[in-house]
Amino acid sequence: MRVLGIETSCDETAAAVLADGAIRSSVVLSQDAIHGLYGGVVPELASRRHIEVMLPVVRRALDEAETTLDGLDGIAVTCGPGLVGSLLVGLSVAKAFAYAHRLPLVGVNHLEGHIFAGFLQEPPSHPFLALVVSGGHTALYACLRPLDYRLVGQTRDDAAGEAFDKVAKLLGLGYPGGPVIERVAGDGDPKAIAFPTAQFTDQLPDFSFSGLKTAVSLFVRRHAPLPPALTADVCASFQATVVKMLVRRTIRAAGRLGIRKILLTGGVAANRALRQALEAECGARGYGWTAPPPRLCTDNAAMIAAAGTARLARGERADLTLNARATFPLA
Ligand code: KG4
Ligand code: ZN
C-alpha cells in the first residue's frame, strides 16, 4: 500500500511517501529561521509559510518516491492536535488531492504519528509504554494492543520541549531550544547546579516543568550577565534535571504496570543525554527500549503516513468534512 502523509500541525511543512510501511521519501521544510527571530512559533506566520511551500514539498516527496498522485492508494493527514491555522493548510491540500484523484483519505492524530515513528525502523512488540516528549506534549501511554492507547501520565503544566525552548530564550540561545541547549550542555557540568525536580503527593507518574523553568529563570537573573562557562553549566544542569524527571517517572510507571518495553519518541527524544539515560536504566532492569532515529523523532510526515497506513488497512476512511482539532486527546 502506497500512502502519502502530510503534516502541518506546527512549524514544519512535511510530506512523505511510504510503500508497505517503508519510507520512499520524507521531505521536511523547517520554519526555524522565521520563528527564530521571535524565540517561538508565531501561529499566523506558520500558516502563511505552510501555504507557500506545501505544494512544492508534496511535489518533491512524490518525485523522490518516483510516484504520482495516481500511483497512491491513500492519503493520511494530521488533523490535530496543533495550531488550527497550520492544520487547515495540510487538511485542505489533502482533501483536494483525495477528491480530485478519488483516493481514500484518513485523518491522523499527531501523537499517534509520533508513536508510529517508532515503527518505521525497529517496531516494538506490544505491550509497550510510550513516552511522547515534544514541544507541545509530554505524556506516557500504555500501548497494550495495536491502535489501543491508555493515558498513564502527563505533564501538569509545560511540555518538556517547551521548557527547553523557554530556557534557551532566557539564555538568549535562540529557537528551537532543544538542539542548542544540548550542544551548549556538552561544555558544562550537569552536577554544577541543583535545580528542583517536581514532587507530587498523589504519586501519579505525571510530569511538571514550570517550577524548573522558574528556578532557571531566577538563577539567570541573579547571575546576569552569565559568563559562557556558567551558561554551559546552566544548560547541562537543566538538561540533566529534565532527563532525570522523565526517566525516573517512566521507569516507575513501567514497573507498576508490569510493562518491560519502552518507546521514546517526539522531538525531545532526539536528545542524546535522554536516550543514554533511558538506555542505562532499562539495561539495569532488563527492560527493552527503542527510539526512532533523531530525524524521525522531530515532526515529519513519514510517521503520519505510517499511522495512516495502519488505519487505512483497517478500512478507516475520512470524508470531506474532516476538520482540524486544536486539542485531540489520544486516550
Ligand atoms: O515533536 P516536535 O518536532 O514538535 C512538536 O510536536 O512539538 O518537537 C519539537 C520540540 C521542541 O521543543 C524542541 O526544542 C525539542 O523538540 N527538541 C529537543 C531536541 N531536538 C528538538 N529537545 C531536546 N534535545 C534535542 N536534541
Ligand atoms: Zn510533534
Side-chain angles (χ1 to χ4, degrees):
M1 185 189 282
R2 242 178 236 250
V3 175
L4 170 69
I6 292 181
E7 154 65 38
T8 60
S9 66
C10 190
D11 62 337
E12 255 90 33
T13 317
V17 176
L18 254 59
D20 297 327
I23 301 179
R24 288 297 155 89
S25 65
S26 178
V27 180
V28 180
L29 200 72
S30 160
Q31 302 182 3
D32 289 350
I34 297 173
H35 304 290
L37 298 172
Y38 306 94
V41 178
V42 182
E44 184 181 333
L45 295 183
S47 321
R48 289 178 180 278
R49 185 66 180 151
H50 285 310
I51 212 152
E52 281 169 6
V53 299
M54 185 79 258
L55 291 178
V57 165
V58 171
R59 167 65 43 222
R60 209 172 121 198
L62 292 171
D63 287 350
E64 284 182 10
E66 296 178 350
T67 189
T68 61
L69 287 166
D70 290 318
L72 298 173
D73 301 297
I75 299 183
V77 60
T78 308
C79 56
L83 301 171
V84 169
S86 288
L87 289 164
L88 289 175
V89 176
L91 275 164
S92 305
V93 167
K95 284 193 204 182
F97 285 159
Y99 179 72
H101 294 263
R102 298 173 192 277
L103 289 167
L105 174 71
V106 69
V108 170
N109 183 309
H110 182 81
L111 302 170
E112 181 172 58
H114 275 303
I115 292 174
F116 266 87
F119 284 74
L120 287 165
Q121 296 202 330
E122 278 177 64
S125 53
H126 295 82
F128 62 89
L129 185 64
L131 172 62
V132 182
V133 258
S134 72
H137 296 85
T138 297
L140 276 170
Y141 298 98
C143 306
L144 305 178
R145 278 172 295 279
L147 305 177
D148 176 10
Y149 311 98
R150 313 254 157 97
L151 180 66
V152 172
Q154 63 187 325
T155 181
R156 296 190 182 181
D157 39 60
D158 293 346
E162 196 179 350
F164 271 95
D165 295 337
K166 286 179 177 168
V167 166
K169 195 172 175 181
L170 274 173
L171 294 169
L173 294 174
Y175 172 85
V180 66
I181 287 191
E182 177 169 9
R183 204 167 51 245
V184 176
D187 297 325
D189 174 4
K191 295 203 170 86
I193 307 154
F195 288 129
T197 55
Q199 307 291 338
F200 304 121
T201 47
D202 53 21
Q203 295 294 307
L204 286 173
D206 278 351
F207 306 98
S208 164
F209 299 100
S210 67
L212 170 61
K213 182 191 65 194
T214 305
V216 174
S217 161
L218 291 173
F219 184 93
V220 169
R221 237 183 287 159
R222 211 174 311 130
H223 295 85
L226 264 62
L230 191 53
T231 301
D233 283 347
V234 170
C235 288
S237 303
F238 161 77
Q239 178 176 271
T241 310
V242 173
V243 166
K244 188 160 76 182
M245 278 199 268
L246 289 171
V247 172
R248 269 201 194 155
R249 301 220 169 139
T250 302
I251 294 285
R252 198 193 300 156
R256 281 196 194 153
L257 293 163
I259 297 178
R260 302 178 57 81
K261 242 165 293 154
I262 293 165
L263 166 66
L264 171 66
T265 189
V268 181
N271 186 281
R272 269 164 302 165
L274 175 57
R275 295 166 84 100
Q276 284 162 7
L278 187 65
E279 177 168 31
E281 290 299 322
C282 285
R285 289 165 180 79
Y287 290 1
W289 83 284
T290 179
R295 75 192 150 79
L296 295 173
C297 288
T298 46
D299 286 351
N300 66 86
M303 67 186 201
I304 302 303
T309 299
R311 296 211 165 260
L312 287 166
R314 285 213 318 191
E316 281 184 35
R317 301 289 183 266
D319 64 24
L320 294 177
T321 62
L322 182 65
N323 211 335
R325 295 178 63 173
T327 54
F328 187 1
L330 182 58

